[in-house]
Amino acid sequence: MKTPIYMDYQATTPVDPRVLEAMLPYFSDTFGNAASRNHAYGWTAEEAVDKARQQIASLMGASPKEIVFTSGSTEGINLAIKGVAEMYGAKGKHIITSQAEHKAVLDTCMHLEKQGYEVTYLKPDKTGRTTAEDVAAALRDDTILVALMWANNEVGTVNPIREIGALCHEKGVIFFTDGTQAIGKIPCDVEADNVDIACLSAHKIYGPKGVGALYVRRRKPRVRLVAQMDGGGHERGMRSGTLNVPGIVGLGKACELCEQELEAEAKRAAELRDYMQELITSELDHVHLNGHPEHRLPNCLNLSFNYVEGESLLMGISDVAVSSGSACTSASLEPSHVLRSMDVGDDLAHSSIRFGIGRFTTKEEVEFAAKLVIENVKRLREMSPLYEMVQEGIDLSTVQWQAEH
Ligand SMILES: *Cc1c(COP(=O)(O)O)cnc(C)c1O
């Protein structure tokens, strides 16, 4: 086993060897520009792009004509939210989203607030979920867009997309969902799930970094977006720029593999995730599951460990590559905004760890990681006076702490 063991699959994934193989010819022999209409180099590239469009559309129940290529989900999110805001701004200036969204959504919304738009940031429930009822209560006559993620990248909670989408369609409001963590991992169908716009990113589904796609509904309703990148009018005028042909071929192949293997992969990941949770919670008490116990991704396990110091725990388990809700692993000093929005206290947020189970995760790796976590939590708790008091049956909430003079 090679350490550190990679368990940060929500941050990025390695390129699947089958994806790499599909991409390689497009860096060398078949290097044409997909927009070159006058010769075979261009036609071959265009054919490859068309095939990828088909593979991507198929994974999410869309039509190939509804796929717009991007550089990834951050760009897709910007294009979706700003594109809708600019196109429909005369109709209304109100947008609904959630506090648990990815920064790309939150920062884009804050940018629009500075331009005169009004944004409602719904507070999710304690599991990170936003319901259709929450959305219904926030809808206004001037609401033009609801932006809620399909599945959360930190805690794996899956939102009730179908119900939220149905509500939006009933009210004539456009519904955008950040599908980065969900599409390819759980069954997603933009028709059945009533989605108008959805983004995905290749590097989260075993494709290359720097390429993604945006689904934009063409009928019932036809969604229009103001382009955020002007130029040659590629991608039906929604996103100019020469297409990243090798990247797009890789994204297409990645989608095809996800579609073929989704069911088996989700089952295998969920089994490993539950096994890991079982290993840890059978040895340790005071472990909290962050996220929803049922409505969650099969490949994500986010746990907090009471009475241990987050940074010491992370250092202790450095043979496992994971992410934490703690401030020390992120660029900002704040603990995770997602955990905060779910009312997870700062102490628990600091000791939270996200374990990602990926396509290449083995049972052996799960056992190694679980053992390391158990050993380290036990070691740290042995040094914790608080944990000792709890073990003695003292209710910490009733303790009168001596003030310092
Ligand atoms: C990774 C991620 C993004 C950003 O995607 P990039 O392609 O890296 O820009 C957006 N939303 C979610 C939920 C993500 O997990």
Side-chain angles (χ1 to χ4, degrees):
M1 217 171 11
K2 192 173 132 246
T3 56
I5 288 169
Y6 191 72
M7 291 197 118
D8 205 10
Y9 283 92
Q10 274 73 37
T12 195
T13 60
V15 172
D16 188 297
R18 295 165 291 181
V19 169
L20 179 62
E21 197 193 350
M23 291 172 68
L24 285 175
Y26 296 90
F27 287 105
S28 49
D29 295 344
T30 12
F31 62 85
N33 184 330
S36 301
R37 293 277 152 79
N38 301 318
H39 49 70
Y41 291 90
W43 302 331
T44 311
E46 196 188 9
E47 265 167 41
V49 168
D50 284 346
K51 181 176 172 197
R53 230 184 265 286
Q54 183 80 49
Q55 290 164 319
I56 298 158
S58 174
L59 175 62
M60 55 171 134
S63 144
K65 288 181 183 150
E66 297 174 308
I67 303 300
V68 173
F69 290 111
T70 64
S71 63
S73 281
T74 299
E75 185 191 336
I77 289 165
N78 273 265
L79 174 54
I81 299 178
K82 291 176 185 169
V84 166
E86 287 178 30
M87 182 61 79
Y88 300 94
K91 205 177 134 202
K93 287 199 151 49
H94 182 233
I95 296 168
I96 298 171
T97 186
S98 143
Q99 297 168 11
E101 293 292 308
H102 191 274
K103 285 284 182 196
V105 169
L106 297 176
D107 287 354
T108 301
C109 286
M110 283 193 272
H111 174 92
L112 287 173
E113 278 183 294
K114 286 188 201 131
Q115 307 201 329
Y117 290 83
E118 264 186 83
V119 182
T120 300
Y121 299 90
L122 294 173
K123 187 176 170 61
D125 68 15
K126 284 186 173 355
T127 71
R129 248 180 153 224
T130 299
T131 64
E133 290 76 50
D134 299 333
V135 177
L139 279 173
R140 310 192 322 208
D141 288 344
D142 62 341
T143 307
I144 50 169
L145 175 68
V146 170
L148 289 168
M149 68 206 317
W150 213 311
N152 185 276
N153 50 304
E154 287 190 30
V155 294
T157 299
V158 177
N159 275 322
I161 292 304
R162 190 168 295 189
E163 288 77 41
I164 296 168
L167 172 73
C168 291
H169 280 177
E170 186 194 318
K171 302 289 181 188
V173 175
I174 292 171
F175 178 38
F176 162 62
T177 184
D178 174 353
T180 316
Q181 295 289 345
I183 300 171
K185 310 283 171 53
I186 58 173
C188 293
D189 183 318
V190 290
E191 283 305 327
D193 293 318
N194 306 309
V195 170
D196 294 326
I197 315 176
C199 65
L200 60 81
S201 180
H203 78 100
K204 302 288 178 85
I205 55 171
Y206 308 94
K209 291 169 181 59
V211 60
L214 191 68
Y215 157 76
V216 185
R217 180 177 285 278
R218 264 165 64 96
R219 43 194 295 273
K220 296 186 186 174
R222 181 184 184 89
V223 175
R224 299 197 304 147
L225 299 176
V226 172
Q228 301 299 305
M229 190 79 83
D230 296 307
H234 308 75
E235 300 301 280
R236 294 189 287 133
M238 284 192 250
R239 202 274 197 177
S240 288
T242 299
L243 292 178
N244 169 5
V245 178
I248 287 167
V249 167
L251 171 57
K253 185 68 185 178
C255 286
E256 182 186 88
L257 294 174
C258 281
E259 186 175 353
Q260 285 166 357
E261 297 173 6
L262 191 141
E263 212 176 308
E265 205 167 5
K267 184 168 173 282
R268 197 188 81 93
E271 278 166 11
L272 284 178
R273 175 202 63 194
D274 293 344
Y275 180 48
M276 177 145 199
Q277 186 173 345
E278 177 57 27
L279 287 174
I280 290 174
T281 53
S282 64
E283 281 289 324
L284 298 173
D285 51 8
H286 303 288
V287 177
H288 296 255
L289 175 71
N290 297 311
H292 199 286
E294 284 131 45
H295 300 295
R296 58 170 164 164
L297 291 172
N299 59 340
C300 180
L301 178 65
N302 190 315
L303 300 174
S304 284
F305 302 88
N306 229 336
Y307 315 113
V308 300
E309 213 243 320
E311 279 155 55
S312 313
L313 177 57
L314 275 179
M315 273 198 284
I317 63 163
S318 61
D319 270 347
V320 186
V322 287
S323 277
S324 160
S326 157
C328 63
T329 58
S330 67
S332 78
L333 291 172
E334 293 275 296
S336 148
H337 73 277
V338 174
L339 296 177
R340 283 210 154 173
S341 74
M342 294 160 57
D343 283 337
V344 175
D346 280 0
D347 281 354
L348 281 179
H350 280 297
S351 71
S352 84
I353 296 179
R354 179 185 68 188
F355 303 96
I357 310 288
R359 184 173 285 171
F360 307 109
T361 304
T362 63
K363 191 174 178 203
E364 194 188 13
E365 288 177 334
V366 164
E367 285 166 351
F368 177 90
K371 186 161 169 278
L372 199 60
V373 168
I374 292 162
E375 280 168 7
N376 276 278
V377 170
K378 283 187 173 166
R379 177 178 59 83
L380 292 167
R381 281 181 178 170
E382 268 164 31
M383 304 188 291
S384 160
L386 286 182
Y387 185 68
E388 199 177 320
M389 288 166 78
V390 171
Q391 291 309 98
E392 286 163 7
I394 299 169
D395 179 354
L396 291 181
S397 64
T398 64
V399 174
Q400 300 257 310
W401 303 101
Q402 187 92 37
E404 274 183 45
H405 293 285

